Amino acid sequence: MYKRQKLVHFFPMAFTLFVLSIPFTLLVDSRLFCFASFIFSLFLVLNITDSTIKNRSLKVGLYSGLSSFIQLFAYGIGFMKEGLIYLRKG
């Protein structure tokens, strides 16, 4: 069970690495950049749309999109930082 819970922690890290990699995909291939940008935009649009519908407020929906981005990105950074600390200590 512990391993299943731990697997969930990798999703914010994957999100963070994905977002950080988007600008670099332009160096590889413009189609890859467009695809990565589309996936990221789809995430934001679905998040904002869902929150707007559930809360009946565009303002809340926009805040929800922003807060989910910040939360996932920051959690991913923190998880990677703690992983590096763990690896250094051995």
Side-chain angles (χ1 to χ4, degrees), residues 16-36:
T16 302
L17 292 174
F18 174 73
V19 169
L20 291 174
S21 72
I22 290 175
F24 297 105
T25 60
L26 189 56
L27 299 172
V28 176
D29 187 13
S30 62
R31 291 175 292 167
L32 184 60
F33 175 77
C34 289
F35 179 72

Side-chain angles (χ1 to χ4, degrees), residues 33-59:
F33 175 77
C34 289
F35 179 72
S37 297
F38 171 74
I39 295 297
F40 180 68
S41 299
L42 183 65
F43 164 77
L44 284 178
V45 167
L46 290 175
N47 191 322
I48 292 168
T49 303
D50 182 55
S51 181
T52 299
I53 292 169
K54 286 182 179 177
N55 296 295
R56 297 180 183 172
S57 170
L58 179 60
K59 185 177 179 181

